[in-house]
Amino acid sequence: KNNGNIRNDNGNIRAGLKRDSGSVVFQEGEGGTGTSVSSSESHRMLVAKSMGAFTDDIMGEEVEAIKVLKFRVQAGLMLLLVIATIGFLITDFYLFSDVAQRNLDLIDSTGIFRSFAMSAAYLTRTQMIHAHHGHADEVADAKQAIYELMQRMRNEHLGNYEGLQQPRVLEFYLTNNKKLHVPFGAQWRVMPGNYWGLTNEFTQRVERAATATMEEL
């Protein structure tokens, strides 16, 4: 220890204390090393403060562009959600509850015509078989069953037509885009027709076929 300084084995000043007017100053290394460290720290603090002052200006335009893009994306998603919600409500309350239900009712009411047609063909065949074997009572029963079946089919068809509410379904009933094959002598002629007329034509022809006698059968 010499004059308040501490020397190491090499004789260099490692750390020292100087008392001057009650103040204490730390020094490290050779001579003014402590002053150099303090100067570097002050410089770094000055640079950090300067950078902090310009932080808001660095890439300012790019940051604003990203904010605008983010707002547009969020607005687009919100608009898409609103449109999807409105579309779902229209689909649910109008199409599914109204149009779809009416179409299902129409399919349900006209779908039975297929079973009517198959039953008519089966009864006509039964009538012919009983006539071949000479069973007059069975022929009469089959004829009566055909009459009743065709009457049901005609009433069902008329009720469906009178209850139509959709213009497109009405157009389907009345548009002459169906083909009716009509016998003329030894030939068949194709006549235009619509769904309304062909169904009525079918019931009339089945009833007319049922009027055949046992000898004709």
Side-chain angles (χ1 to χ4, degrees):
K1 181 176 182 181
N2 184 14
N3 296 327
N5 296 328
I6 301 175
R7 296 179 179 275
N8 56 17
D9 295 339
N10 296 328
N12 297 326
I13 297 176
R14 183 61 180 169
L17 297 174
K18 292 184 179 181
R19 300 179 181 275
D20 185 10
S21 300
S23 61
V24 180
V25 179
F26 292 92
Q27 296 179 347
E28 295 183 356
E30 298 286 343
T33 304
T35 304
S36 177
V37 172
S38 299
S39 177
S40 297
E41 292 293 335
S42 299
H43 180 69
R44 283 196 293 269
M45 292 179 64
L46 180 61
V47 171
K49 291 181 179 180
S50 299
M51 293 295 293
F54 290 99
T55 301
D56 297 334
D57 296 332
I58 297 176
M59 297 185 68
E61 295 181 359
E62 289 77 4
V63 172
E64 290 298 326
I66 292 175
K67 290 181 179 180
V68 172
L69 180 60
K70 179 181 178 181
F71 173 77
R72 290 178 178 177
V73 171
Q74 291 177 344
L77 291 176
M78 184 62 66
L79 180 61
L80 182 62
L81 179 61
V82 172
I83 294 176
T85 303
I86 295 174
F88 173 78
L89 293 177
I90 294 175
T91 303
D92 183 56
F93 291 104
Y94 177 68
L95 294 180
F96 290 162
S97 301
D98 190 13
V99 177
Q101 187 61 44
R102 286 201 300 268
N103 291 339
L104 290 175
D105 293 339
L106 181 61
I107 294 173
D108 181 65
S109 60
T110 58
I112 197 173
F113 287 172
R114 179 176 298 178
S115 64
F116 284 165
M118 295 299 298
S119 298
Y122 175 78
L123 290 173
T124 303
R125 175 181 175 274
T126 301
Q127 185 182 15
M128 293 179 64
I129 293 175
H130 288 306
H132 177 73
H133 292 285
H135 301 159
D137 294 338
E138 285 77 3
V139 171
D141 293 340
K143 182 181 301 186
Q144 184 63 31
I146 291 175
Y147 287 154
E148 294 177 357
L149 182 64
M150 290 301 98
Q151 187 62 37
R152 287 181 54 194
M153 187 173 183
R154 186 180 296 107
N155 294 337
E156 188 77 22
H157 187 52
L158 178 60
N160 293 337
Y161 179 77
E162 292 177 345
L164 291 178
Q165 297 180 0
Q166 293 295 323
R168 296 185 62 181
V169 180
L170 180 61
E171 181 182 357
F172 170 76
Y173 266 74
L174 300 180
T175 301
N176 292 328
N177 57 358
K178 307 296 187 295
K179 294 180 180 180
L180 176 63
H181 296 268
V182 181
F184 281 89
Q187 298 179 351
W188 290 87
R189 295 184 182 180
V190 179
M191 305 291 292
N194 51 46
Y195 182 72
W196 164 255
L198 289 180
T199 304
N200 291 327
E201 184 73 17
F202 175 79
T203 58
Q204 293 175 7
R205 289 182 179 273
V206 172
E207 287 180 345
R208 196 174 303 162
T211 60
T213 63
M214 291 186 60
E215 289 76 13
E216 292 174 337
L217 295 174

